[in-house]
Amino acid sequence: MTSYRKFEDVINAYWEARGTCAADRSYWDEGGSPLLETALLEELLTKSVQDGDSTQSGGLAKALDMWIAEELRAAGFDDQAVWPRLAKPRVLDPSVLRFIGSLDPRTAEACCAALPRFASSAANVLGSTYNKQIDVGLSSWMTGPEILISTKTMGSSFGKNLSNRFEEAYGDAKNLKGRHPLATLGFFFLVNSSIVDEPRIFAKAVTMLEKLRMEDDAYDATCLLLVDWGEGGQLTVSRENDRVPLSLSALSFFEEVVRLTLLRAAPEAHELARLKRIAASA
């Protein structure tokens, strides 16, 4: 089973049990805050850890990527333009699928069978200086990149690894914004809640995430999400998130990503996402 496939199965089972899907559910509460499916995130992270994934292997980050992509689909963005997609190939321009849909059934079936050989499971985006693999995004041939989100996870050794993570993030932001100034750029950092037991390191993480969004050509939104590592590999969103500034919360992150993306897009673009915002404010 591929690294994404197991998360695909978790997501499909989650929505099947609720009789709905991400695109059909309400996304905003009456106060204009996102209604995040943190229960789905917990299931994805737990599946990853119980399968033996670690923060070093990248499996935990893939679980986080799939959840963030589901939240963007729930916000109303094109489910085929958001990556990683819920089905293989994970990265594909939506116009290709529309073209295949216009073909006769026999030809369309043959195209779908051949497509995975030519499409990618990763998205490499050219910045001003170098190519960067983007974890979560929204893009099409017509618009170019509209959302570019980098994700990082950290389970331990905070003092040793923290500075390296932020140096990489800062350089990536400058590289991507240099070529795509209108793309909404996000950085999502998922960390073991035990970091709060090291007050100086926790304060450093908060400060660095705030600094990453201070400049116009850096990140538009940054997030620090704390999770508890429980017995048996059970991961849950931690109550310690009350210590995280509101500006770095997951709620603020998604609210800002959606707001800026709709603001920078053509007025007729992302109709469903705009309708969901309007319905919430009515």
Side-chain angles (χ1 to χ4, degrees):
M1 183 178 292
T2 64
S3 56
Y4 281 113
R5 175 60 189 276
K6 62 184 179 184
F7 302 130
E8 174 187 335
D9 292 342
V10 170
I11 292 170
N12 286 331
Y14 182 89
W15 292 123
E16 183 177 351
R18 289 157 178 77
T20 186
C21 66
D24 290 342
R25 74 174 179 89
S26 298
Y27 192 70
W28 305 97
D29 66 18
E30 294 180 354
S33 294
L35 297 166
L36 302 181
E37 289 287 340
T38 54
L40 175 58
L41 174 61
E42 292 173 345
E43 287 192 24
L44 290 167
L45 296 175
T46 297
K47 173 65 175 174
S48 178
V49 172
Q50 291 180 346
D51 280 1
D53 295 337
S54 67
T55 54
Q56 289 78 24
S57 70
L60 198 66
K62 285 184 170 64
L64 177 61
D65 296 347
M66 290 290 274
W67 177 71
I68 294 174
E70 274 295 281
E71 290 298 328
L72 295 180
R73 285 186 277 268
F77 294 111
D78 186 343
D79 60 347
Q80 302 300 338
V82 172
W83 77 77
R85 296 174 64 247
L86 195 51
K88 293 177 63 177
R90 303 300 170 183
V91 182
L92 184 69
D93 191 277
S95 59
V96 174
L97 291 175
R98 287 194 290 269
F99 169 71
I100 293 175
S102 70
L103 302 174
D104 65 86
R106 184 176 179 180
T107 305
E109 184 177 354
C111 286
C112 289
L115 196 57
R117 302 204 308 268
F118 302 97
S120 175
S121 62
N124 292 302
V125 175
L126 178 62
S128 60
T129 308
Y130 55 88
N131 280 311
K132 174 70 172 71
Q133 181 175 321
I134 303 300
D135 302 305
V136 184
L138 171 72
S139 184
S140 72
W141 287 342
M142 290 294 293
T143 64
E146 294 188 82
I147 298 175
L148 301 171
I149 297 174
S150 295
T151 61
K152 296 292 182 184
T153 62
M154 188 176 293
S156 59
S157 303
F158 309 115
K160 179 180 178 181
N161 297 319
L162 204 56
S163 295
N164 291 337
R165 289 288 181 269
F166 286 113
E167 287 175 11
E168 294 168 3
Y170 186 77
D172 290 339
K174 295 289 183 176
N175 173 54
L176 292 169
K177 273 291 187 179
R179 185 172 290 271
H180 308 288
L182 291 181
T184 302
L185 207 61
F187 184 79
F188 200 107
F189 196 29
L190 184 143
V191 184
N192 189 327
S193 62
S194 63
I195 193 174
V196 302
D197 297 330
E198 303 178 50
R200 289 179 60 255
I201 301 299
F202 176 62
K204 180 178 180 179
V206 168
T207 300
M208 293 303 298
L209 281 163
E210 291 174 333
K211 285 181 176 293
L212 285 176
R213 59 193 296 179
M214 283 178 57
E215 302 174 31
D216 291 339
D217 59 346
Y219 291 99
D220 297 297
T222 54
C223 177
L224 176 61
L225 185 65
L226 306 178
V227 293
D228 296 330
W229 257 256
E231 294 183 2
Q234 190 78 25
L235 268 67
T236 56
V237 175
S238 178
R239 293 182 179 180
E240 299 290 355
N241 283 292
D242 290 343
R243 302 193 187 192
V244 176
L246 181 60
S247 61
L248 297 180
S249 69
L251 291 175
S252 294
F253 178 86
F254 284 103
E255 184 176 358
E256 190 71 353
V257 167
V258 174
R259 184 187 71 82
L260 288 175
T261 303
L262 295 182
L263 178 65
R264 293 165 176 171
E268 65 275 10
H270 309 305
E271 181 179 6
L272 179 57
R274 295 183 191 277
L275 289 175
K276 285 193 172 192
R277 291 294 313 249
I278 294 171
S281 60

